[in-house]
Amino acid sequence: MDSDDADSDDLRTRLHAMESKLSRVRGQRDSHNESAKRAADQRNSAQNKRNEVQENITSMMDDQKKVRAQAKIHQASRDEIQQSIREIFSRRKGKRDQGQGKSAVIQLSETVGEIDRIEDRIMTDGALPLEKENSLIKKLRSLISRRDELIPHVEHQRIVSIDLNDMDESIQRLRAEADNEHKLMLEQNSLADEIWSEIKPMFEERDFLRGEGDRLHALFLEER
């Protein structure tokens, strides 16, 4: 074999080796790309599932908050009725209620009176300085907010008919109503507890899916 043939064989051998190496590299690249695609798909699936679980948690927690708020309403109504009972006891004893807060009815009456007084002054006092007018408007807004808070309590009180000429009967009726509000409060709190017991395992699922998504994302980056 002359030198030209030897050189040709050597070249073919090297070209074949290079082609084999390139083929292996392409195969490894394709394998990594496929693994990265699988990891990305699994990561996306875990993240989507995690988002779905989080949406369910948020929705159920909103429901629970509403139930808790309803329980607070029943609790406030119970407390208001019990305050009325204490006021009747004081009236029956022939003395004013000492050391107790004003009932919602009295608070609402005073608040509405103050609103009327401020509105009348703002509309009729032409010499009112701007700074003072702004201060009164700010106070008026606060009083209107307070009025709106008191109205539902007072409206609830009106459901219970009270005859102050028969205080014993009034007390019995109010006690029955207070007991009913207390029962409703407990029922709402129990329902809220049930909702929470359903939510708790969902936190574990959400955290697991978050961790799985992070792991798969790291795998995706590694394969890339």
Side-chain angles (χ1 to χ4, degrees):
M1 180 180 298
D2 57 28
S3 61
D4 289 339
D5 290 337
D7 290 341
S8 178
D9 289 341
D10 182 57
L11 179 60
R12 281 195 296 271
T13 299
R14 283 187 290 168
L15 287 173
H16 180 70
M18 290 176 62
E19 289 175 354
S20 298
K21 183 177 180 181
L22 287 173
S23 179
R24 288 196 303 273
V25 170
R26 283 195 294 267
Q28 292 173 349
R29 181 198 62 192
D30 291 343
S31 176
H32 283 303
N33 287 340
E34 185 63 28
S35 296
K37 183 178 183 302
R38 285 197 302 270
D41 290 342
Q42 293 172 345
R43 176 203 62 196
N44 294 340
S45 177
Q47 289 176 342
N48 290 337
K49 181 63 176 176
R50 185 253 177 204
N51 291 338
E52 180 182 336
V53 172
Q54 181 60 57
E55 288 176 2
N56 289 335
I57 290 174
T58 300
S59 176
M60 293 183 69
M61 289 189 71
D62 286 342
D63 290 341
Q64 191 209 31
K65 289 177 182 177
K66 291 177 183 176
V67 173
R68 292 287 189 200
Q70 189 62 45
K72 287 291 186 182
I73 291 174
H74 289 303
Q75 181 180 358
S77 296
R78 179 204 64 189
D79 294 346
E80 192 71 32
I81 294 169
Q82 289 175 339
Q83 173 65 17
S84 296
I85 293 173
R86 288 191 291 268
E87 290 177 0
I88 293 174
F89 270 118
S90 295
R91 186 184 292 247
R92 188 169 65 176
K93 293 177 181 178
K95 61 181 181 180
R96 292 186 177 273
D97 195 10
Q98 300 294 326
Q100 299 290 346
K102 296 176 182 177
S103 68
V105 175
I106 295 175
Q107 291 183 58
L108 180 60
S109 177
E110 292 178 347
T111 301
V112 170
E114 184 70 4
I115 288 173
D116 291 341
R117 186 188 67 78
I118 292 176
E119 287 180 338
D120 182 68
R121 184 177 180 188
I122 291 174
M123 289 187 295
T124 60
D125 191 348
L128 195 64
L130 180 61
E131 183 178 351
K132 181 61 177 180
E133 181 178 347
N134 289 335
S135 175
L136 288 173
I137 290 174
K138 182 177 180 181
K139 184 177 181 180
L140 181 62
R141 288 172 179 166
S142 176
L143 287 168
I144 290 174
S145 177
R146 178 59 179 157
R147 179 199 63 189
D148 292 343
E149 291 176 0
L150 289 167
I151 285 175
H153 295 299
V154 175
E155 288 179 343
H156 178 82
Q157 290 284 318
R158 290 174 183 166
I159 296 174
V160 184
S161 177
I162 301 174
D163 181 6
L164 293 179
N165 293 320
D166 189 350
M167 293 188 180
D168 289 336
E169 174 65 18
S170 296
I171 289 171
Q172 289 179 7
R173 296 193 63 183
L174 286 169
R175 277 178 172 168
E177 188 68 17
D179 289 343
N180 184 58
E181 290 296 325
H182 182 71
K183 177 183 176 183
L184 292 173
M185 179 197 72
L186 293 178
E187 289 176 354
Q188 292 297 305
N189 280 329
S190 177
L191 177 58
D193 290 341
E194 290 177 8
I195 295 175
W196 177 247
S197 67
E198 295 178 15
I199 294 174
K200 284 173 64 178
M202 297 172 69
F203 282 114
E204 297 178 4
E205 182 181 6
R206 180 201 63 185
D207 293 343
F208 168 77
L209 289 168
R210 179 192 290 128
E212 189 67 3
D214 291 343
R215 182 186 70 81
L216 290 167
H217 183 65
L219 180 60
F220 163 75
L221 294 177
E222 180 181 342
E223 292 294 338
R224 292 284 290 177

